[in-house]
DNA sequence: TTGATATTGATAATGAGTTTCATTCGCTGT
DNA sequence: ACAGCGAATGAAACTCATTATCAATATCAA
């Protein structure tokens, strides 16, 4: 289940005060707008959406805030090798990996417990301590296979 | 086993002629130098090495040639989210994934057949046609755990 | 050897993301 | 409500990786 807006707002407030940072109207707006997005967005895309609500909002503020949301565990960075980072809500309850169509960009979220476990096995085999992982599968979606 | 220099040179020559492109002294030098590298290099790092051999070589030529080598199936692009792309020899005989230390950057190459197979299962489950994949595990190496 | 055309290197341009800095805002204590 | 201080903001300049432009040069089939 997803965090609702109030959940993430509380989470963010708490994170900010822990770090002696402040909740601002811009940060509230960015959080709210980010949580509404249905797709994985880049900071630039989110900035475009935000400008319609608050035309005075700054470019840098969006980047800065997405970084904060990531540190707070509310957003997660995705790198599909496109040249820019995408963000998705990160509720830590629902980790998943991605299957991306290289033609149209459509992407499916999946979670394979077996793969997750095997990853841990690899990491411990080499004496490493697992911090994170990134698994992206690239393919051609059924729709694009027909054209 | 690795391609040797002559192998890759032939592969590259063939690819170039198929595309109506030309083998040049710069391309030969870049290929040779790239194949000698022991670690995954960025285009910039390779450029630094190349300048010592041929100080007149151009920055853009290195980038252009690494792109060609990738298309020819001789190099493979790696993205560890560092901001720049790294390259490794791609012999297709020896695919592997990476386990990277987030502290010191040391990285281990591994191949887990079970994971590879499970990936295929995921892809076919959703009706996709697998094109590529990228699996990076990030952790802390034994050495860095002690400090 | 020649000519068509691909390639090169210098340089400018791009695009994502970050830094700087003067101004404004948020919060805590009064 | 008010003051004061440090945090946050937006504009603009900047960085860094990579790509585009273009005049000069090199390759190779004929
Ligand atoms: Mn996702
Ligand atoms: Mn490797
Ligand atoms: Zn598609
Ligand atoms: Zn390490």
């Amino acid at each position: 289940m997803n965090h609702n807006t109030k959940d993430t707002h509380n989470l963010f407030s708490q994170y900010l005060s822990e770090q002696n940072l402040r909740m601002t109207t811009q940060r509230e707006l960015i959080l709210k707008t980010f949580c509404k997005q249905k797709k994985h967005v880049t900071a630039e895309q989110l900035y475009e959406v935000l400008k319609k609500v608050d035309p005075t909002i700054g470019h840098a503020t969006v980047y800065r805030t997405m970084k904060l949301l990531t540190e707070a565990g509310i957003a997660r960075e995705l790198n599909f090798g496109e040249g820019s980072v995408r963000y998705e809500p990160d509720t830590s309850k629902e980790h998943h990996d991605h299957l991306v169509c290289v033609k149209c960009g459509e992407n499916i979220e999946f979670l394979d417990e077996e793969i997750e476990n095997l990853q841990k096995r690899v990491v411990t085999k080499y004496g490493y301590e697992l911090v994170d992982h990134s698994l992206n599968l690239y393919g051609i979606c059924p729709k694009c296979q027909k054209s």
Side-chain angles (χ1 to χ4, degrees), chain A:
Chain A
M1 198 184 317
N2 244 321
H3 286 302
N4 60 37
T5 304
K6 188 168 278 175
D7 277 347
T8 52
H9 188 281
N10 286 341
L11 271 174
F12 196 28
S13 293
Q14 187 181 338
Y15 176 79
L16 291 173
S17 74
E18 279 168 16
Q19 308 289 319
N20 291 317
L21 304 177
R22 294 167 184 172
M23 180 55 87
T24 64
T25 52
Q26 287 88 340
R27 286 176 180 168
E28 279 183 327
L29 178 63
I30 293 169
L31 170 61
K32 195 175 74 177
T33 308
F34 168 63
C35 288
K36 272 190 205 153
Q37 301 307 307
K38 302 295 178 198
K39 301 191 172 178
H40 307 134
V41 288
T42 65
E44 209 58 36
Q45 289 173 336
L46 194 55
Y47 172 61
E48 291 305 320
V49 176
L50 285 159
K51 267 202 304 194
K52 288 172 191 159
V53 184
D54 173 6
T56 73
I57 202 155
H59 186 240
T61 303
V62 179
Y63 279 92
R64 286 189 283 233
T65 303
M66 290 317 295
K67 188 137 290 197
L68 284 173
L69 289 175
T70 302
E71 290 162 19
I74 294 166
R76 193 159 96 107
E77 296 187 349
L78 303 177
N79 193 331
F80 296 150
E82 300 163 305
S84 54
V85 169
R86 289 181 179 275
Y87 292 92
E88 69 176 356
D90 176 13
T91 63
S92 78
K93 290 169 196 156
E94 52 166 33
H95 161 73
H96 57 258
D97 299 304
H98 296 94
L99 168 55
V100 185
C101 176
V102 295
K103 298 274 186 194
C104 70
E106 188 196 64
N107 86 67
I108 285 178
E109 306 182 333
F110 69 90
L111 176 60
D112 189 309
E113 289 296 351
E114 289 186 66
I115 294 180
E116 301 286 323
N117 289 330
L118 289 170
Q119 287 176 6
K120 285 172 199 150
R121 197 181 68 184
V122 168
V123 171
T124 48
K125 173 176 167 187
Y126 291 105
Y128 275 55
E129 196 177 297
L130 185 59
V131 170
D132 195 8
H133 76 264
S134 147
L135 170 59
N136 297 319
L137 305 180
Y138 300 99
I140 301 173
C141 75
K143 208 171 293 177
C144 287
Q145 284 174 40
K146 291 174 196 151
S147 43

